[in-house]
Amino acid sequence: MATSSDTEICGFIGLGLMGLGMANNLLNKRKHHLIIWNRDTSKSVDLAAEFPGRVTVASTPKEVVATAQVTFSMLSTLEASTAVFEGPEGMLAGVGPTTSIVDCATLTPERMAEMAALVEGKGGIFLEAPVSGSKAPAEQGTLIFMCAGNKVLYERVSEDLDAMGKAKYFLGTVGAASRMKIVVNMTMGGMLACFAEGLGLAKAADLPLGDLLAILDGGACSCPMFQLKGPKMLQRKYDTAFPLKHAQKDMRFAVELGDKLAQPLPVAAAANEVYKRARRHGHDDHDFSAVAEACMPPQVVKGEASNDKAVNGKSERP
Amino acid sequence: MATSSDTEICGFIGLGLMGLGMANNLLNKRKHHLIIWNRDTSKSVDLAAEFPGRVTVASTPKEVVATAQVTFSMLSTLEASTAVFEGPEGMLAGVGPTTSIVDCATLTPERMAEMAALVEGKGGIFLEAPVSGSKAPAEQGTLIFMCAGNKVLYERVSEDLDAMGKAKYFLGTVGAASRMKIVVNMTMGGMLACFAEGLGLAKAADLPLGDLLAILDGGACSCPMFQLKGPKMLQRKYDTAFPLKHAQKDMRFAVELGDKLAQPLPVAAAANEVYKRARRHGHDDHDFSAVAEACMPPQVVKGEASNDKAVNGKSERP
Amino acid sequence: MATSSDTEICGFIGLGLMGLGMANNLLNKRKHHLIIWNRDTSKSVDLAAEFPGRVTVASTPKEVVATAQVTFSMLSTLEASTAVFEGPEGMLAGVGPTTSIVDCATLTPERMAEMAALVEGKGGIFLEAPVSGSKAPAEQGTLIFMCAGNKVLYERVSEDLDAMGKAKYFLGTVGAASRMKIVVNMTMGGMLACFAEGLGLAKAADLPLGDLLAILDGGACSCPMFQLKGPKMLQRKYDTAFPLKHAQKDMRFAVELGDKLAQPLPVAAAANEVYKRARRHGHDDHDFSAVAEACMPPQVVKGEASNDKAVNGKSERP
Amino acid sequence: MATSSDTEICGFIGLGLMGLGMANNLLNKRKHHLIIWNRDTSKSVDLAAEFPGRVTVASTPKEVVATAQVTFSMLSTLEASTAVFEGPEGMLAGVGPTTSIVDCATLTPERMAEMAALVEGKGGIFLEAPVSGSKAPAEQGTLIFMCAGNKVLYERVSEDLDAMGKAKYFLGTVGAASRMKIVVNMTMGGMLACFAEGLGLAKAADLPLGDLLAILDGGACSCPMFQLKGPKMLQRKYDTAFPLKHAQKDMRFAVELGDKLAQPLPVAAAANEVYKRARRHGHDDHDFSAVAEACMPPQVVKGEASNDKAVNGKSERP
């Protein structure tokens, strides 16, 4: 099996919350020369300055694709992805018979299939590779890649994926990876909504919320997400690892996927509406743990944060 | 602080899935003599045979309470608890000025307050102490005790609780512990319903379910519950650690607690209906992970289990 | 079949929103002498003054039941009903071998069965007879009676029921009528929540709400409830025909009945949570159409009512 | 105001459940010559035969638009509409500076705006005009038109709309009418799901379903939809006036519109999942009242229809 040579030129498009960490790992763990593009050029320039002689800043997405042997793209929304993919200076315009594209965004399965067809229509090959994990795993190289599409390309970039992630899965034809990602994020989003409702009910019942976190963490529900976000949620601090508007978008994708498959998802559908309520309260760009704001009794949400007391429950351990 | 003497006579009522493990831990880790009662006498006799000279089998709950310095009770439902508590030979009939009762069942806050008032009306003292954890933690002595009521009694039994559990919390006046337990089980029940819907959507989308489990386990949602139950759910094996009918009862209690507090719980309410659907499909006495049966596409539920293939997804780790 | 004689003494307990209209109809359409009791005595005295020589004000519920040949009771909640039914001066204390009680309240099936058993235990007979219809139908004598229990009593009071209502149904053993009433109110409460969500979505989409009412009224959804309440909801006027807290109670009863029957009710459960949200916003004692307050976009709910414009849509009819 | 001349040539595209009735009304009540197109040509030929000399069968949608002064189109889905609108022989290909198009389909607001822009880009004018009402109102000329877009065109076709409907509303810029239609159908779909859950709960509680229909019809919830569909639902006869898959599509559109507006719709979202469940049970092409199949206890759904007894409840009216 041919794997990517360490001296190849690798493209990277999209240096946001996720992409920057991923590009850094490629540069640190692999020997690639990177050609990069980002909407906000200052991020590209900064990265080039950090890795002198190893990074070229392209002026268009087209240039990246036309130059690189393999191009990774990591864009945060369907709209951003479409804007960068299409148009005279977009990625597609740079596609030729030797092009390989690995798209790591969370899009719909339909859009992935459409992009794959367009790339293949010009002779290129395409791998869909959305990831599980947010900002910190992207920086730490512990993402999980869900891949589908061209199996040869999957094998060729396997060392690159290993540089950016801790696991990877090949799931079949294009669309399967996006569907898997939707399932994963639906489960995660639903879980966090359940947790937020638990906090809300405990607060309404005047129970010590800090004890609730400890009790949950001592049992079968203990998970990194609750450990990380729980204490911040009690303080109502929602610094953004995964924006709530994107979490809600993924819940919506899940409900729509259920639509296409005639698969009822009553819990996910209810959670989706709770995320919408949080969006309505102005939390679009906060972390998705701000879903708690849609679940707290009104005195908490409207009044001043007085959860310090609550955090400070009494617990004793043997 | 006075703690319980190691030579005291301790009562234990209810030797079911949970109670038997708890009583064993009391016998193994403490030096108490136990006086016990169980509806099915054979279990009591077996336990007495295992610990010769240390266990007395009482003929009525009343006898246990009248004899023991502290009585623990662990009954699985409101109906079972009421049947054992009331009546001429029930626990309450044995209560006097020196009686101490620690009730570990998951009941409503209202019922706990009522029982406490009845015990206190006859001069006794009462601690409500529902637990987080099912059969295995009961056996391993790793339960978590949520306590409320008489603080002196809480302190007096602290070494007993430590023998049966790994953590304990004192949460205030009677009712608070049951409310906390309801919140904990609501969160857990909601999470498992989200997980089950994720499995159902993945199945409907023809994705490899084994890979889904691995991807979830590699990320922020990784938790003992999914690790333990996930693989069994793929095999549709639901050996009972926590009966589904009790999980649904706790979801109902949560929705009712929300009623009393005018606290909306749309996700928990949706999950409650999914558990009801699983009950309707005949899973009352199966493990609550049988909620998956209410979330799977019909070909799976009705047809023969063909998940072996699904479990067997392709994954590679670096 | 023996029917009630026009000269008999008839008891009536509970002269609230519903009971007063019902008692008036009994007095106006029938020739009964009434012996009445109400918690607030002034209402009893007023009614006695309106019908000189035909109404006796009793000093206790017990006195009513002990004196009357048939006693109707119409109390608004389980708590009110229990308070009036039990105790040394309660209804039950007055029950003897010739007593007939017709209970028109909306209670749980379990409570109705319990009351019937208590009455029958003292030799009396019992008919459960909850009604469909709120204040106006009570006044106009156009209620619908759902009856269950003693069939002979049903036949005996048939002319009385006809004086107060426009239709009556005999549904079987005690409990059946309360269950039917729960189903009816669940359907009604769910419908109004759907309607409120429609208004909320139209408002969020900046559509003329008055036109929406007209369009709905022109089609298959046209119903007295939307006609009556729709225009008031646009003005955010919620004068109470049926208190929201009672509507939510009935949704809760429905969800609980579903629990007992393992019958999933996902839409009713979601609607129940919306009514809870309205309660949380302080609408317990407003009409249940105040559920709209839980469905409107925040600028509407928080800001000043600016729906006048919206009501004033443009429509033309041929 | 210029109104359409009675002798003008009017186009009509789409002769399905709805379109055929509408075209008949145009022919019967107006003096237009019609040029028509339908995917299944036999329907066009039949209509032409019924109105000799007044109907021309076009060979393509393009021909209709290029010939007619005003073209009405009534297609059942986004897919059907797109197929007929685009392509070398599609409607758009026939648009010129004198073209007027009135689109009566239920599409998304976004698609309507897109079509309007395409028509206007070629110099034509566009009115979006989705309808409330299904097969029977289409035949009887009692539809309700929700219109938006070109106001001059709205006025010009006002007599045509009056021939096909009993009311019409002009709601603003293109998209507003589709949004209103979505709100109307969401309300209707939610109501029917509530009704179906009521039937399901009554059935599970062993109550006479025929009495339930009568009780609902005697009260504030009485509406043509329940009157028409209720008795058929008890018989499990779902002859299609409005296909369930389209009803579910409209629920989905509503949930998506809520997404765009950050407007939570928990009841509609729950109802959407119930319609999905009905689709999963194979009712895509049945009437949307087949939602009852997703709400009935399993013995009813799986076994043979034994509702005759249920219909036959005992009722007496004064």
Side-chain angles (χ1 to χ4, degrees), chain B residues 190-214:
Chain B
M191 275 173 66
L192 196 64
C194 290
F195 181 68
E197 280 197 354
L199 294 178
L201 182 57
K203 186 70 190 165
D206 208 18
L207 294 168
L209 300 192
D211 286 1
L212 173 57
L213 294 190

Side-chain angles (χ1 to χ4, degrees), chain C residues 91-257:
Chain C
M91 291 173 64
L92 185 58
V95 173
T98 62
T99 300
S100 295
I101 288 182
V102 180
D103 198 310
C104 302
T106 296
L107 308 175
T108 59
E110 291 74 25
R111 177 59 184 165
M112 280 289 183
E114 195 175 18
M115 291 165 75
L118 289 167
V119 168
E120 288 162 5
K122 298 182 75 174
I125 58 176
F126 187 90
L127 185 71
E128 107 180 287
V131 301
S132 169
S134 61
K135 199 184 164 201
E139 288 167 356
Q140 293 152 13
T142 55
L143 295 170
I144 298 174
F145 285 92
M146 291 159 269
C147 304
N150 190 295
K151 186 79 185 283
V152 171
L153 179 52
Y154 172 72
E155 281 160 4
R156 192 167 148 225
V157 297
S158 73
E159 289 177 56
D160 297 332
L161 299 180
D162 293 351
M164 299 184 282
K166 64 178 178 184
K168 58 183 186 298
Y169 299 85
F170 188 79
L171 301 164
T173 53
V174 172
S178 291
R179 279 188 281 271
M180 182 64 95
K181 165 75 185 196
I182 286 171
V183 171
V184 167
N185 276 17
M186 176 190 95
T187 306
M188 180 173 69
M191 275 173 67
L192 197 63
C194 290
F195 181 67
E197 278 198 354
L199 294 178
L201 182 57
K203 186 70 191 168
D206 209 19
L207 295 168
L209 300 191
D211 285 1
L212 172 58
L213 295 190
I215 292 164
L216 285 170
D217 197 43
C221 300
S222 173
C223 65
M225 180 164 66
F226 296 172
Q227 288 165 345
L228 183 68
K229 297 191 188 291
K232 290 183 184 172
M233 289 162 85
L234 298 202
Q235 299 175 288
R236 307 182 62 199
K237 291 193 178 152
Y238 307 114
D239 26 306
T240 308
F242 181 41
L244 189 137
K245 66 184 174 194
H246 294 171
Q248 196 260 318
K249 177 199 67 176
D250 291 349
M251 297 305 289
R252 177 169 70 234
F253 284 171
V255 169
E256 289 173 5
L257 181 55

Side-chain angles (χ1 to χ4, degrees), chain A residues 248 252 255-256 258-259 262-266 269 273 276-277 279-280, chain D residues 248 252 255-256 258-259 262-266 269 273 276-277 279-280:
Chain A
Q248 195 260 319
R252 176 168 72 234
V255 170
E256 290 172 5
D259 257 318
Q263 172 72 6
L265 301 166
E273 301 304 314
K276 275 195 218 168
R277 191 174 300 276
R279 284 182 52 212
R280 197 172 72 170
Chain D
Q248 196 260 320
R252 178 168 70 233
V255 169
E256 290 173 4
D259 258 318
Q263 173 71 8
L265 301 166
E273 301 305 314
K276 276 195 219 168
R277 192 175 298 277
R279 285 182 51 214
R280 199 172 70 170

Side-chain angles (χ1 to χ4, degrees), chain D residues 3-83:
Chain D
T3 65
S4 58
S5 147
D6 276 355
T7 56
E8 75 178 317
I9 298 174
C10 184
F12 207 101
I13 291 174
L15 299 169
L17 274 183
M18 301 292 296
L20 192 61
M22 294 165 73
N24 263 297
N25 277 307
L26 275 182
L27 285 161
N28 284 322
K29 298 188 193 166
R30 302 284 286 158
K31 299 242 161 66
H32 299 314
H33 186 98
L34 248 59
I35 177 165
I36 62 176
W37 184 88
N38 190 56
R39 191 190 310 229
D40 171 0
T41 312
S42 68
K43 285 196 178 177
S44 312
V45 170
D46 288 353
L47 188 66
E50 269 187 72
F51 294 88
R54 287 191 57 207
V55 175
T56 305
V57 178
S59 52
T60 64
K62 174 184 174 184
E63 184 189 342
V64 174
V65 171
T67 310
Q69 286 152 290
V70 176
T71 299
F72 293 88
S73 72
M74 186 47 155
L75 296 154
S76 62
T77 64
L78 199 49
E79 291 68 32
S81 168
T82 304

Side-chain angles (χ1 to χ4, degrees), chain D residues 16-18 76-77 133-135 185 188 192 229 238-251 275 278-279 283-291:
Chain D
L17 274 183
M18 301 292 296
S76 62
T77 64
S134 60
K135 197 184 165 202
N185 276 17
M188 181 174 69
L192 197 64
K229 297 189 188 294
Y238 308 113
D239 27 305
T240 309
F242 181 40
L244 189 137
K245 66 184 174 193
H246 294 171
Q248 196 260 320
K249 176 198 69 177
D250 291 350
M251 298 306 288
Y275 280 99
R279 285 182 51 214
H283 300 289
D284 259 342
D285 295 312
H286 294 153
D287 190 68
F288 78 130
S289 52
V291 68

Side-chain angles (χ1 to χ4, degrees), chain B residues 248 252 254-266 269-270 272-274 276-277 279-280, chain C residues 248 252 254-266 269-270 272-274 276-277 279-280:
Chain B
Q248 196 260 320
R252 175 169 73 235
V255 169
E256 288 172 6
L257 180 56
D259 257 319
K260 285 183 192 83
L261 300 166
Q263 174 72 6
L265 301 165
N272 185 30
E273 301 305 315
V274 176
K276 276 195 219 168
R277 191 174 299 277
R279 284 182 53 214
R280 197 172 73 169
Chain C
Q248 196 260 318
R252 177 169 70 234
V255 169
E256 289 173 5
L257 181 55
D259 257 318
K260 287 184 191 79
L261 302 166
Q263 172 72 7
L265 300 165
N272 185 30
E273 301 304 314
V274 176
K276 275 196 218 168
R277 192 174 297 277
R279 284 182 52 213
R280 197 172 73 169

Side-chain angles (χ1 to χ4, degrees), chain D residues 78 81 85-86 92 103 105 107-121 126-130 148-149 173-179:
Chain D
L78 199 49
S81 168
F85 190 73
E86 296 180 355
L92 185 59
D103 196 310
L107 308 175
T108 60
E110 291 72 26
R111 177 60 185 166
M112 279 290 183
E114 195 175 17
M115 290 165 76
L118 289 167
V119 168
E120 288 162 5
F126 188 91
L127 186 71
E128 105 180 289
T173 52
V174 172
S178 291
R179 278 187 282 270

Side-chain angles (χ1 to χ4, degrees), chain B residues 13 37 39 60-62 65 71 73 75 77-95 99-103 107 111-122 125-126:
Chain B
I13 291 175
W37 183 89
R39 192 191 308 232
T60 65
K62 175 185 173 184
V65 170
T71 299
S73 72
L75 296 153
T77 64
L78 199 49
E79 291 68 31
S81 167
T82 304
V84 167
F85 190 75
E86 296 180 355
E89 300 301 330
M91 290 173 65
L92 185 59
V95 173
T99 301
S100 295
I101 288 181
V102 180
D103 197 311
L107 308 175
R111 177 59 184 167
M112 280 290 182
E114 197 175 15
M115 290 165 76
L118 290 166
V119 169
E120 288 161 7
K122 298 182 75 174
I125 57 177
F126 187 91

